[in-house]
Each structure stands twice: as C-alpha cells, then as structure tokens.
Amino acid sequence: MEDHRLLVVEDEPVTRMMLDAQLRTAGFLVTTVESAEAALGLLHHERFPLMITDLLLLQMDGLTLLREAKALDPDLEVIVLTGAASLESAIAAINLGAAGYLRKPASMNDLVAQVKVVMGKRRLRLDHLKALRHLGTQLLHLADPADTSYAATPPEQRLRVGRLEIDPMRRRVAVDQHPIRLSHGEFDLILYLARHSNCVVPVEKIAREVLAYHGCTTDEARQLVKALVYRVRRKVEPDPQLPCLLISVRGAGYMLTSDGPDSF
C-alpha cells in the first residue's frame, strides 16, 4: 500500500479536512499537516511517494517546502494545489521538480486523476530501476568489466535522434556517446519528443502530457514549456543559442530532429 500514501500540506482547516475525506474516499492513505515545517518533520523519518501542497502557507512557503522536500527525498513526487496560481509560480515549481500544478478550486476528479498519473509515472520509473538492478546483478557473472554503461539495454530498444541516444529502461541520455545528467522532467521531455521525433508537438500537449499541467492557456503553456526546453538545450545542444536538435516551430510547438535549424 506504499503507493497509496499521500502527504497533504494545507493550512486552511476546512480545506484540509475536505481533501482528507475526499482523497480517502478515492482509496488513498492520507496524512495531513497544516504547515511546511510539520511536513519536513515527517519527511525526515518517513517516506511518502507523493506530497500535495499549497503555495501560500503560514510561515515557510510552498516553493521552499518543495525545494527542501526534494533535497530530503529526490524520489518524492509533488503536486502543487494552490489558489495563488500564477505563471511565475508554475515555472518556479517546474524548475524545482514539481510533477503537477493545479489551480484552486480544482475538482476532486481532476486532482485524483492527476495523482494517479503522477503515481503511475513514479511506479514505472521505480520498476525500471528495480529491473535494472536485477539485470545488473546477473551481468556481474556474464558481462565483460569493460562493457559500457549502456550494455544492459539491447541497442534495438534505445532511441536515436541525431547525436542523441535515449535509453528508456535506464532513463539515460547520451550525446555523442557521452552520458549527460537530466532531471526527471528533463528526461520525460526528451523521451516524449524522441517518441514523436520529426513531428511538431504543440506546447499545450507537452504541458498536459509531459508536465501534467492542465487547464492552462496557450500562452501559459508556451512559457511553462519554454522554461524546461531552455534547461534541456543547455545540456544537449552544441550551441544552445542556435539549437539544431530540439527546435521550435513558430506558432506550432517543438520538435526533436537531427536536420533543421531553429524556428522554421
């Protein structure tokens, strides 16, 4: 039942009780606290797969909580549920590793749906890591110690786009065979675009299907995705100012390709 545990951080008593009751009805095991300080106190000695937090809290704000909580447990997923929603706070939450962002008053159906999506992605990622550890143990008896870090995944299961090689199982990316470090969100964007390589993906679809941000306008989606694209380009492009892999198509969206200048 570890997958069903939620930590809810909400300083308004009535909202806190409503979230507790509704999420329990949806089948989750809920722990509620009224402050960021109380949440961090729990996270020092307990592990939760997912935390839901407001941004406006009594003392420590939600973004600071998000930063410190992810430092304590990098595998913790966080959904921001706030009445103080703004484009700036959404971008800040993405940059700090939030898995989702909802405006109050969000319907319980929307919240439960987003929790399930985030939990599903987390479970898939952890299953990959578990399979990888098991496979690594087997390879200790078989593999040449000189094998590369990519030897565990068959070449046909990796994705290649230009200079990029993406290993979905290991959640690793290499540029010209040199591994690079990506956050969960950065990897999700690269993998998603690689699976749609040479196709233009609208920013609204990226915001919804990669960032799990629902109900935003086209302009808000553009700004949210732009912040993530900027970080990815700094890691994968020879010249981030003149991108040739992750390119933008004016008025349409983004595309991962090996043959095209930015902004056709």
Side-chain angles (χ1 to χ4, degrees):
M1 294 294 287
E2 192 268 352
D3 255 4
H4 290 75
R5 299 187 68 215
L6 303 179
L7 175 60
V8 176
V9 189
E10 171 59 61
D11 59 2
E12 205 286 311
V14 174
T15 303
R16 188 168 64 249
M17 287 188 292
M18 288 178 57
L19 288 171
D20 181 65
Q22 292 171 328
L23 288 168
R24 286 180 185 275
T25 299
F28 297 103
L29 302 176
V30 185
T31 299
T32 63
V33 293
E34 63 181 10
S35 69
E37 293 79 5
L40 290 174
L42 276 177
L43 291 171
H44 270 97
H45 57 83
E46 287 190 55
R47 291 179 68 86
F48 292 84
L50 189 146
M51 176 175 74
I52 301 171
T53 183
D54 199 346
L55 290 182
L56 293 181
L57 300 170
L58 291 176
Q59 296 181 36
M60 181 187 296
D61 65 272
L63 289 177
T64 303
L65 169 61
L66 172 54
R67 182 187 302 109
E68 297 198 10
K70 294 288 282 186
L72 284 173
D73 182 4
D75 287 328
L76 174 70
E77 302 289 1
V78 179
I79 292 175
V80 171
L81 175 64
T82 183
S86 69
L87 184 59
E88 291 74 19
S89 65
I91 291 173
I94 286 177
N95 289 336
L96 291 171
Y101 190 100
L102 285 171
R103 294 181 175 92
K104 289 180 179 177
S107 74
M108 187 49 51
N109 286 340
D110 286 345
L111 178 58
V112 169
Q114 188 154 134
V115 168
K116 288 180 177 179
V117 167
V118 172
M119 289 286 213
K121 287 183 176 180
R122 180 182 188 273
R123 187 161 49 248
L124 184 61
R125 175 166 50 84
L126 294 180
D127 284 348
H128 282 168
L129 291 174
K130 182 178 178 181
L132 183 60
R133 286 194 294 268
H134 177 69
L135 189 56
T137 300
Q138 293 179 319
L139 288 174
L140 285 175
H141 303 288
L142 301 173
D144 185 332
D147 280 349
T148 69
S149 60
Y150 277 79
T153 303
E156 65 272 13
Q157 294 182 17
R158 304 174 212 151
L159 301 175
R160 291 178 177 82
V161 182
R163 299 165 54 243
L164 293 177
E165 183 176 66
I166 300 112
D167 184 335
M169 180 177 175
R170 285 173 161 249
R171 293 182 63 85
R172 292 184 180 180
V173 174
V175 178
D176 293 333
Q177 299 184 335
H178 298 292
I180 58 172
R181 294 179 62 86
L182 297 176
S183 68
H184 296 322
E186 292 163 357
F187 179 84
D188 288 343
L189 176 64
I190 284 286
L191 180 60
Y192 184 83
L193 292 177
R195 286 173 170 164
H196 299 79
S197 62
N198 298 309
C199 295
V200 180
V201 183
V203 291
E204 300 93 336
K205 190 172 183 180
I206 296 173
R208 184 175 63 253
E209 298 186 10
V210 177
L211 301 176
Y213 280 57
H214 299 266
C216 55
T217 67
T218 298
D219 186 60
E220 288 172 335
R222 185 177 296 112
Q223 295 302 317
L224 290 170
V225 175
K226 183 179 179 181
L228 185 57
V229 166
Y230 172 78
R231 299 207 317 267
V232 171
R233 279 177 170 166
R234 291 181 62 188
K235 297 181 178 181
V236 305
E237 296 283 2
D239 182 354
Q241 300 303 314
L242 296 171
C244 59
L245 289 168
L246 206 177
I247 65 173
S248 60
V249 181
R250 287 197 182 103
Y254 289 94
M255 175 169 64
L256 198 63
T257 184
S258 56
D259 36 44
D262 191 29
S263 305
F264 351 117

